Amino acid sequence: MVDPSTTRRNSEEFPPGYGDLRLVSGDQVVFHFHLWLLAYMSPVFKDMETLGSMRQEGNNREISLSEDEPTWSTILRFIDPKKKNPPLDYKSLPKLLEAGRKYQIDEVRNWVEWWLLENESAVDTEISSLDTPQAIELLAMGVDYDVPRYSQLALRFLIKAPIEGLFDATLARSKLYQHLMELRTERIKHLHQELKTILSGGASNQKITNGEFSIKDKDYMDISRAMVQVISAISFQPSYACCTRNWPDILSGDYIYLSRDKMEKFKQNCQRLEAEFPALPTTVIESTVGEVLEPQ
């Protein structure tokens, strides 16, 4: 009895007669496509045609591929001028990029890069739902497949992520990991300095009491301790969200020690920093994934 999972079926998008080459995906879907177009787009397929390494059956040639149907359906629809570009899915990008690199179809990488730019907000939301180890893998993957925007989106998330999960003995000495930690340290120092400037610039040390101002040294001490609490929390997660979660009541309400203008400016500065795309060091961009992730 034939295993149904290995039974071939023809692609509905690229049925028999559509082209003179049969591409059989890893999950046994047969795509009938134009050999000349595939050879034009891919040096790998061009070499197969030149060397005669394809299996010949009648008037058709056939190649068995390891990638699955969704991956090849996406690639073929992309390179076929008669088809509309298919919608991309964030979770399918790794397989798509791997196939594009394997068969040297550089246009696939360029297409993914363009898609990331066009769908930055949606991709950013997806990345924010990842746990830290997954985001680190994404960071390395962007470098490996030469898609800088992919790495930058992951790096932007990891800079402000909680410290839990960032410590990994296998990555501690890698170039990319060291770069991430350097950027986090810079962000922490920057936020610390801004908060200290706000605290030292208050000067008035006043509290509204029954409609009148009274000066109390205790107020200043309480506010200072509260600010230290926020600064300490930022060391573990350098983000504005962390600030708001750890903001004690004494730093708001009827205390006018911290001017609202200064706090609003601090919020805007945080949001500006978190929206920026971090730079990738040249040494990392030029490295392979092995060099990036393996200890130096």
Side-chain angles (χ1 to χ4, degrees), residues 43 46 49 65 72-73 84 86 109 128 146-147 152 161 168 178 185 194-195 199 210 230 235 256 262-263 267:
K46 182 177 179 61
E49 179 187 23
L65 306 165
W72 272 108
S73 176
K84 291 184 178 180
R109 180 187 61 79
S128 297
D146 191 24
V147 185
Q152 288 178 310
D168 188 324
Q178 288 176 0
T185 299
E194 284 214 17
L195 287 172
L199 182 62
N210 296 325
V230 177
S235 298
I256 65 169
K262 289 181 179 179
M263 294 311 300
K267 175 183 177 180

Side-chain angles (χ1 to χ4, degrees), residues 269-280:
N269 286 342
C270 287
Q271 293 175 336
R272 175 182 55 79
L273 284 171
E274 293 176 7
E276 291 177 352
F277 283 107
L280 292 172

